[in-house]
Amino acid sequence: MSSLVDAVLTSDNLPAHNSSDGATPKSRQDRSRRRSSARPMGPPSESAAGPLSDADGFADDEVVGVRGNLKNKSRNPMDRDVPRVVDAVGETVRRNFVDFLATYIEEPSSSGAPVSSGMSSSDKYYINQIHGLRAYNLSTLYVDYQHLLSFQNGNLAEAIVAGYYRFLPFLTRGLHDLIAKHEPRYFKEHRQPTGSSTQTSSTASNVATGSDSQGDKTTNQQTDKLFTLAFYNLPLVSRIRHLRTTAIGQLLSISGTVTRTSEVRPELSLATFTCEACRTAVLDVEQTFRYTEPTQCPNLTCGNRQGWRLDIRHSTFVDWQKVRIQENSSEIPTGSMPRTMDVILRGEIVDRAKAGEKCVFTGALIVVPDVSQLGLPGVRPEATRDNRNAPRGGDAGGAGVTGLKSLGVRDLTYRLAFLACMVTPDTSTPGSAAAQQLSGQSNNLLASLNQTAPPDPHDAGDHAQEAFLASLTQSEIDELKRMVHSDHIYSRLVNSLAPMVYGHEIVKKGLLLQLMGGVSKVTPEGMQLRGDLNICIVGDPSTSKSQFLKYICSFLPRAVYTSGKASSAAGLTAAVVKDEETGEFTIEAGALMLADNGICAIDEFDKMDIADQVAIHEAMEQQTISIAKAGIQATLNARTSILAAANPVGGRYNRKATLRTNINMSAPIMSRFDLFFVILDECNEAVDRHLAEHIVSIHALRDEAVKPEFSTEQLQRYIRFARTFKPEFTPEAKALLVEKYKELRADDAQGGIGRNSYRITVRQLESMIRLSEAIAKANCVEDVSPAFVREAYNLLRQSIISVEKDDVEVDSEDEDEQVGEVRRRRRGGDDDGDAAMGGTPEADDEGHSRAATAGTKTKITHDQYKAILNQLVRRVNEDELRDGDGVEQQELLMWYMERNEAQFADEEEGERELELVRKVLKRLVKENVLMQIRGEGLADAEGGEMETERVLYVLHPNCALEEM
């Protein structure tokens, strides 16, 4: 009786077999394992070993058996073998996919450089790539969707897109078949416990014998590779906002900007459990988005459902990373908040998306539990198994699963997530279709994936150039060669940059050099010397400052646009926030971190608060951001160039004030900018007419109005290639660099109160070095020649706007003196009697005429005044040093006229100049530069007038010669 009860109790889950049914113990054990699972069927799993499976090929994959318990069990009369349901459509898709991978031939026109000698010389694209997996020790096969479309009129491609999540296990099995056929040793070394290849055992045994057939089996299975597929180049790239539940499980691409990345963690993919009761091992339990334990122990005498211990040593782990992406700024509708979505990355594509990058993710839309909703206070309904009245065995009885009624349709604890199989950089400009631009040879596809990655400062230039060229097609390489070897490429690149903005060639030169950048260096002590250029554009309103910033942000794949008043210090550098899922404090990247190895454009820079400006001091020179908040001490990289635009104080630029007075910026932050460009809105009839024609034609003809020589894609390719160069200075260029720096310092010798708009420091010397290197990069050469140094010097000189001084009034000071002299003479005439009275009308006329001439003030420019001053002071100083005496006025005037005789056209002009120099001499005496020594003390009162005309000039004791 007891045996009959046992048979009834166990018949629902595990059939009992007697030993006379002719089946081997292993096959009986496999059937019992297949029927032991009472969990609901999910999508078809690659872990379920089918009739074509070679999972039996490994001796250590056998389940620890039932240890002879079947012999004593009576067979259940209701038990019969149920045939496994085979997905016929899935098998057809698998066979067709294998045919596609095995037969697709790469077109010669689209291939790049010849296949390297280390690879197979086959023309089959994906077979070459499979050989490349072994050569590069990789596990992901990259499939171009455009290739799929050309196979069988696109039927296979449509099937994979429509049922990607359903067919993925079948596609992976097909990949295993091919790897086992073409690379059996590599396949065996990284054994696939879930491999379903029909050829694994046979092919491997035929190709290699003895110990080589199995390869070196790894003891720790979590280090093994899981071979996966990645699709790219889908024709349609969806927006995050347009994703709906109808797209769940389909293959699609979405585009977005990465805002936050998690750390890379190990995810349990295939788990091996050990039963706590009888120590039976249950192998390869597939984990689907949650920790999944076996339903029941396969040992017939145990029946354990709850006591499991994970065997980490024999489980398989894969890399896992969660990335949060946000809608691209150009796709957000007016008045809407940007939508976000979590993307799950696995395997080799982790760490391929960095915060701040625009990326295209290809994969499937899935539904996951919303952990943040589950964490809210309140009782959540959940389904539980009622085991209170279960018998001791635990395999039957009880009320089953309860609580299903309270789990209604109103339970909004799920959300959409994206399971990505591929990440590619999005190099499109805002408003245009997303561009992945993946091309290249089959064996160098990884070079294509990383072609927008920044060059490593420690990497050799030749290696970086080879890696970049390997990612291009042959036609792109030929086009690049033509550009590099053509004449005047530097000026032609400048003309192709920002074609919609009229003029401003100097600013465009600076922007081109900022895109190129200098060479980053590391000293032996580990000190970083930045190679990025910082540029500030200052100008009147409506001089297209913001257009330059917007253009650079659309041109560069990694650029961030912010506005000064709307940005805080934490928003620019980094903020410490609490993670909604773990509750820990994490660092959220600010604009400067998001623009790492790119450009951060800050508009309205002058309107930033001083405290916020101070926050970017460290990022601009040391290129790091240091944080000490909420228990987090970190130094983060911010290797970014800063492009700032500022309006002058009061709206218009005042040429008579210094640059610092105009833009209200602190001296430390001004010295950190390599170039300042001052754009003035000046009235010029010819320029105004051409500018108006340009703007009207753009409004009328749109894109046809401007036809630059090089397209945006050509410019981007050229700049990426040019950035791989690391030019070095020639000895002549070094010497010239020192000379030019001495010239700049000599101009600035007046202590910052002279003509220069800001002080020249050692940072300006480093700026010249960076600019020279950037010009050499733009010309794609390895050496920095003196010509490049001169060009950098000229750029720096043009950016140091000379402060315009007011015109100097050389006789305005004498007006009161002359009028006073006339009055004194008139008073003196009253005392002298008739003779003076007789001369009063003439004296009055003379006095009035002098006062009248004094009323018409003579003005000369500040430059002219300085030139005369320098010549006169130098002559007086030389005479004083030689003789100890001063210079007579007449002698000094004659020396000046003879020295500048060639500049006078006629005698009249010479007389005017002579009168001007006399007035300048008087002003120099007033300003305590020279001192007059008259002959009054040497003569009698009668000869006073005659002696007065003999005037000696000596240097004033307070005159600072070094400032002259």
Side-chain angles (χ1 to χ4, degrees):
M1 184 67 186
S2 63
S3 63
L4 181 60
V5 172
D6 288 343
V8 172
L9 289 177
T10 56
S11 63
D12 290 340
N13 295 312
L14 296 170
H17 295 270
N18 55 23
S19 59
S20 63
D21 59 353
T24 63
K26 184 167 183 178
S27 63
R28 285 198 303 270
Q29 176 185 323
D30 286 343
R31 285 199 300 271
S32 67
R33 284 180 60 196
R34 284 202 296 270
R35 285 190 294 271
S36 66
S37 176
R39 59 177 174 172
M41 290 291 288
S45 165
E46 57 176 325
S47 67
L52 302 177
S53 168
D54 73 328
D56 314 358
F58 302 108
D60 52 350
D61 282 349
E62 292 183 9
V63 177
V64 176
V66 291
R67 296 189 293 273
N69 293 323
L70 290 174
K71 294 180 180 179
N72 302 325
K73 295 287 181 182
S74 59
R75 182 175 179 128
N76 181 15
M78 299 297 293
D79 180 35
R80 62 183 182 277
D81 287 338
V82 179
R84 169 178 288 277
V85 177
V86 177
D87 188 346
V89 180
E91 289 296 331
T92 308
V93 168
R94 181 184 66 81
R95 285 194 298 272
N96 286 331
F97 186 65
V98 170
D99 291 344
F100 160 73
L101 292 181
T103 58
Y104 184 80
I105 295 176
E106 185 178 8
E107 292 182 16
S109 61
S110 66
S111 65
V115 181
S116 64
S117 57
M119 299 294 161
S120 166
S121 58
S122 165
D123 59 349
K124 291 178 177 161
Y125 188 89
Y126 293 102
I127 302 303
N128 279 346
Q129 210 175 314
I130 287 174
H131 294 311
L133 294 183
R134 175 185 54 79
Y136 295 114
N137 200 21
L138 302 174
S139 63
T140 303
L141 186 80
Y142 298 96
V143 181
D144 192 336
Y145 186 78
Q146 300 301 323
H147 297 172
L148 264 180
L149 280 176
S150 63
F151 184 74
Q152 292 183 350
N153 296 325
N155 292 333
L156 178 62
E158 291 175 9
I160 290 176
V161 166
Y164 170 73
Y165 198 64
R166 170 190 172 188
F167 294 138
L168 184 59
F170 295 97
L171 300 178
T172 310
R173 278 172 50 200
L175 174 64
H176 292 167
D177 289 349
L178 276 178
I179 298 176
K181 179 179 178 182
H182 294 281
E183 290 290 344
R185 176 72 182 269
Y186 186 60
F187 188 75
K188 283 293 184 184
E189 283 174 359
H190 303 283
R191 60 188 193 143
Q192 295 292 311
T194 63
S196 307
S197 169
T198 57
Q199 299 156 333
T200 307
S201 305
S202 59
T203 312
S205 58
N206 291 339
V207 172
T209 57
S211 62
D212 289 344
S213 63
Q214 290 296 319
D216 299 325
K217 288 187 182 178
T218 50
T219 54
N220 292 335
Q221 183 138 335
Q222 66 263 31
T223 61
D224 283 356
K225 288 181 167 51
L226 288 177
F227 292 108
T228 54
L229 286 162
F231 294 89
Y232 65 96
N233 271 352
L234 265 69
L236 180 67
V237 179
S238 306
R239 298 182 178 184
I240 298 176
R241 191 173 289 270
H242 297 162
L243 296 180
R244 298 292 181 267
T245 52
T246 52
I248 291 176
Q250 296 180 359
L251 181 67
L252 69 155
S253 293
I254 59 172
S255 174
T257 305
V258 180
T259 57
R260 190 190 299 180
T261 58
S262 75
E263 59 187 5
V264 177
R265 301 176 190 155
E267 182 194 26
L268 186 62
S269 174
L270 297 168
T272 297
F273 290 95
T274 304
C275 174
E276 293 278 15
C278 66
R279 301 298 172 196
T280 302
V282 182
L283 301 177
D284 305 332
V285 179
E286 187 174 7
Q287 309 290 304
T288 52
F289 305 113
R290 59 188 294 270
Y291 185 64
T292 309
E293 292 182 339
T295 320
Q296 186 173 0
C297 180
N299 191 345
L300 297 180
T301 58
C302 177
N304 170 36
R305 288 177 181 271
Q306 291 177 331
W308 298 103
R309 184 168 55 81
L310 177 67
D311 186 357
I312 294 179
R313 217 165 52 83
H314 294 102
S315 299
T316 304
F317 290 83
V318 294
D319 291 329
W320 177 94
Q321 186 183 31
K322 189 170 75 172
V323 171
R324 176 160 296 175
I325 63 171
Q326 181 178 294
E327 275 185 293
N328 295 323
S329 55
S330 58
E331 299 172 358
I332 304 171
T334 309
S336 299
M337 291 292 289
R339 301 265 175 93
T340 59
M341 176 170 280
D342 286 340
V343 177
I344 297 168
L345 308 177
R346 286 177 175 157
E348 287 174 0
I349 60 169
V350 298
D351 261 353
R352 199 171 282 171
K354 305 285 191 302
E357 287 181 345
K358 264 179 71 178
C359 293
V360 175
F361 298 88
T362 305
L365 200 63
I366 56 172
V367 177
V368 293
D370 192 350
V371 181
S372 59
Q373 290 291 323
L374 292 173
L376 293 178
V379 179
R380 287 278 167 193
E382 56 181 8
T384 57
R385 181 179 290 277
D386 187 3
N387 290 324
R388 286 172 298 182
N389 300 321
R392 187 177 169 192
D395 17 354
V401 178
T402 63
L404 293 177
K405 284 185 181 177
S406 55
L407 286 168
V409 291
R410 297 181 185 84
D411 185 19
L412 300 176
T413 56
Y414 294 90
R415 60 190 170 90
L416 289 175
F418 196 78
L419 182 62
C421 66
M422 184 65 176
V423 180
T424 54
D426 185 359
T427 56
S428 63
T429 55
S432 62
Q436 302 180 54
Q437 289 185 343
L438 280 187
S439 53
Q441 310 115 38
S442 54
N443 56 333
N444 276 327
L445 193 77
L446 275 181
S448 307
L449 304 178
N450 295 324
Q451 58 183 299
T452 56
D456 184 7
H458 309 290
D459 201 2
D462 296 341
H463 178 70
Q465 287 167 27
E466 288 171 10
F468 174 70
L469 290 175
S471 68
L472 302 179
T473 62
Q474 191 61 45
S475 59
E476 290 171 345
I477 292 175
D478 296 339
E479 186 181 64
L480 196 60
K481 281 181 182 173
R482 283 197 298 273
M483 289 177 70
V484 171
H485 296 304
S486 58
D487 296 330
H488 309 297
I489 184 65
Y490 176 55
S491 56
R492 288 159 62 203
L493 288 172
V494 170
N495 293 332
S496 299
L497 203 69
M500 289 293 178
V501 180
Y502 176 78
H504 299 313
E505 271 76 19
I506 300 297
V507 182
K508 290 181 182 179
K509 273 186 186 177
L511 294 181
L512 176 68
L513 298 183
Q514 187 177 35
L515 290 169
M516 296 289 177
V519 179
S520 297
K521 306 175 187 73
V522 182
T523 62
E525 298 84 21
M527 187 184 299
Q528 301 275 351
L529 300 177
R530 72 178 166 100
D532 297 305
L533 290 160
N534 298 323
I535 292 179
C536 183
I537 304 175
V538 184
D540 297 337
S542 79
T543 48
S544 65
K545 299 186 299 297
S546 298
Q547 290 298 323
F548 280 125
L549 270 62
K550 288 286 188 184
Y551 173 80
I552 291 295
C553 287
S554 66
F555 180 85
L556 261 191
R558 196 176 178 93
V560 178
Y561 181 90
T562 62
S563 183
K565 197 64 180 173
S567 303
S568 64
L572 283 171
T573 54
V576 176
V577 296
K578 184 176 274 191
D579 191 2
E580 59 185 24
E581 293 185 5
T582 61
E584 297 175 356
F585 285 105
T586 59
I587 296 174
E588 183 136 7
L592 291 175
M593 280 179 63
L594 294 179
D596 192 23
N597 287 305
I599 290 180
C600 180
I602 307 176
D603 208 353
E604 311 292 349
F605 193 74
D606 55 310
K607 298 175 183 61
M608 282 179 68
D609 295 334
I610 298 297
D612 298 336
Q613 278 188 7
V614 170
I616 66 173
H617 276 204
E618 182 191 3
M620 287 183 73
E621 192 59 42
Q622 280 75 39
Q623 297 205 303
T624 55
I625 293 169
S626 301
I627 281 185
K629 298 178 185 175
I632 295 177
Q633 275 97 25
T635 300
L636 312 165
N637 283 327
R639 296 158 297 191
T640 175
S641 304
I642 288 182
L643 176 61
N647 280 67
V649 176
R652 312 280 297 187
Y653 191 87
N654 180 13
R655 299 196 64 155
K656 294 171 183 175
T658 61
L659 182 65
R660 186 176 170 192
T661 313
N662 267 296
I663 54 177
N664 191 22
M665 215 182 273
S666 64
I669 210 162
M670 282 184 67
S671 69
R672 283 168 164 81
F673 281 107
D674 297 285
L675 290 175
F676 275 94
F677 292 116
V678 178
I679 308 177
L680 301 177
D681 184 16
E682 295 177 321
C683 296
N684 183 321
E685 186 181 345
V687 174
D688 290 347
R689 186 177 72 252
H690 289 307
L691 178 61
E693 288 172 355
H694 176 80
I695 292 174
V696 169
S697 62
I698 284 180
H699 280 272
L701 305 174
R702 307 290 168 84
D703 291 342
E704 286 80 23
V706 178
K707 292 182 180 174
E709 184 179 357
F710 302 124
S711 67
T712 302
E713 290 77 19
Q714 288 173 314
L715 271 179
Q716 287 174 332
R717 269 198 300 273
Y718 185 89
I719 288 173
R720 282 205 298 272
F721 177 67
R723 284 176 69 96
T724 60
F725 283 85
K726 296 195 173 180
E728 295 182 355
F729 282 87
T730 59
E732 299 84 12
K734 287 181 185 175
L736 184 63
L737 204 58
V738 175
E739 288 299 319
K740 294 297 184 185
Y741 175 64
K742 283 165 64 180
E743 281 183 37
L744 284 174
R745 285 290 282 185
D747 290 348
D748 192 41
Q750 297 180 10
I753 57 170
R755 301 295 312 281
N756 286 348
S757 51
Y758 59 93
R759 291 299 311 274
I760 301 297
T761 62
V762 183
R763 281 187 177 144
Q764 272 62 50
L765 172 62
E766 291 185 333
S767 299
M768 261 205 296
I769 294 173
R770 283 190 285 268
L771 287 167
S772 307
E773 290 169 345
I775 295 169
K777 281 185 176 183
N779 289 282
C780 288
V781 293
E782 295 286 356
D783 294 322
V784 181
S785 65
F788 298 157
V789 176
R790 287 190 199 94
E791 173 71 18
Y793 173 75
N794 293 335
L795 259 179
L796 202 60
R797 289 288 306 180
Q798 284 165 337
S799 79
I800 303 171
I801 286 283
S802 296
V803 180
E804 283 199 357
K805 299 288 187 182
D806 288 331
D807 291 344
V808 180
E809 299 174 358
V810 287
D811 56 355
S812 59
E813 306 283 347
D814 305 332
E815 182 183 351
D816 297 336
E817 216 175 89
Q818 290 177 3
V819 174
E821 188 182 344
V822 170
R823 287 174 181 164
R824 277 197 306 276
R825 286 189 181 182
R826 291 174 69 180
R827 284 199 301 272
D830 294 339
D831 299 335
D832 291 342
D834 295 338
M837 284 174 67
T840 301
E842 291 85 355
D844 283 350
D845 292 342
E846 188 183 344
H848 282 305
S849 65
R850 284 187 185 176
T853 48
T856 58
K857 301 171 184 177
T858 306
K859 287 188 177 182
I860 58 173
T861 63
H862 194 271
D863 286 341
Q864 205 174 349
Y865 173 70
K866 278 287 183 185
I868 298 173
L869 177 147
N870 287 334
Q871 292 185 54
L872 297 178
V873 170
R874 191 181 300 120
R875 171 63 202 272
V876 172
N877 183 44
E878 287 172 359
D879 277 28
E880 231 182 297
L881 291 174
R882 188 174 64 246
D883 305 330
D885 298 331
V887 187
E888 286 193 17
Q889 180 179 8
Q890 199 63 28
E891 185 186 344
L892 189 61
L893 292 173
M894 292 310 296
W895 171 84
Y896 178 84
M897 297 302 289
E898 287 171 8
R899 181 183 173 91
N900 298 284
E901 189 176 1
Q903 300 176 10
F904 310 139
D906 51 17
E907 193 175 337
E908 238 179 87
E909 190 176 341
E911 288 176 2
R912 283 200 299 272
E913 185 74 12
L914 182 63
E915 187 62 30
L916 184 65
V917 176
R918 278 203 180 102
K919 293 176 178 177
V920 170
L921 275 171
K922 290 178 184 175
R923 183 176 175 92
L924 292 179
V925 173
K926 287 281 184 188
E927 290 185 343
N928 292 338
V929 176
L930 296 179
M931 194 166 61
Q932 270 184 344
I933 300 177
R934 294 176 181 271
E936 292 175 357
L938 306 174
D940 303 332
E942 292 84 11
E945 193 172 334
M946 183 186 67
E947 289 293 337
T948 306
E949 292 177 0
R950 185 172 177 274
V951 178
L952 283 176
Y953 285 102
V954 294
L955 281 181
H956 197 281
N958 294 338
C959 172
L961 267 180
E962 62 275 3
E963 290 186 4
M964 294 296 173

